[in-house]
Amino acid sequence: MTQPGPGQHWDEGGPERLYVITGGRSGSSAPTALDLVTLIVARSGPKPGMQPEQAAIVRLCQRPLSVAEISAYLGLPVSVVTVLLSDLLADGRVTSRPPVPPARLPDIALIEAVIDGLQKL
């Protein structure tokens, strides 16, 4: 791989940048169950010397954000964000939690009984 010479610029969207960001890894170093809707929350602020992309994740995640949202905000592929998040999870810098499940609708018989009771009033 050649280094950019004078007058040449680093391709911000190129695969070389993504390779450098992830340290050449295509998967997480530890088994993690991250999907697009897993919520990520920072446990503290970024620490000095952190990789810039990881520091950006920690700053973004002061409130819960999904993996997909983090990817969109950073402009990085989900696969790259997942690798970075697995490192942050292993270091205890962030926590993950499954999304809030959709509310279950009450039983239709219960709704009909309530309506029937209200009509009798």
Side-chain angles (χ1 to χ4, degrees):
M1 181 164 81
T2 61
Q3 296 291 331
Q8 294 178 330
H9 298 288
W10 175 267
D11 181 11
E12 289 293 323
E16 297 87 4
R17 176 175 175 257
L18 302 177
Y19 182 87
V20 170
I21 289 172
T22 61
R25 295 174 293 146
S26 61
S28 61
S29 54
T32 56
L34 296 175
D35 60 15
L36 292 175
V37 294
T38 300
L39 297 176
I40 305 295
V41 182
R43 295 181 126 187
S44 63
K47 66 179 182 180
M50 254 182 140
Q51 183 178 354
E53 292 80 11
Q54 287 182 333
I57 290 171
V58 171
R59 280 192 297 273
L60 280 171
C61 293
Q62 295 305 307
R63 290 192 215 149
L65 283 179
S66 70
V67 173
E69 290 172 309
I70 296 167
S71 174
Y73 282 130
L74 295 179
L76 294 172
V78 171
S79 58
V80 171
V81 170
T82 303
V83 171
L84 297 173
L85 286 171
S86 69
D87 293 343
L88 290 170
L89 284 163
D91 290 343
R93 308 296 297 168
V94 298
T95 58
S96 67
R97 64 179 193 213
V100 176
R104 291 186 50 191
L105 295 176
D107 182 26
I108 193 73
L110 175 64
I111 293 173
E112 289 172 348
V114 169
I115 291 172
D116 186 47
L118 289 172
Q119 288 174 341
K120 290 180 181 179
L121 288 176

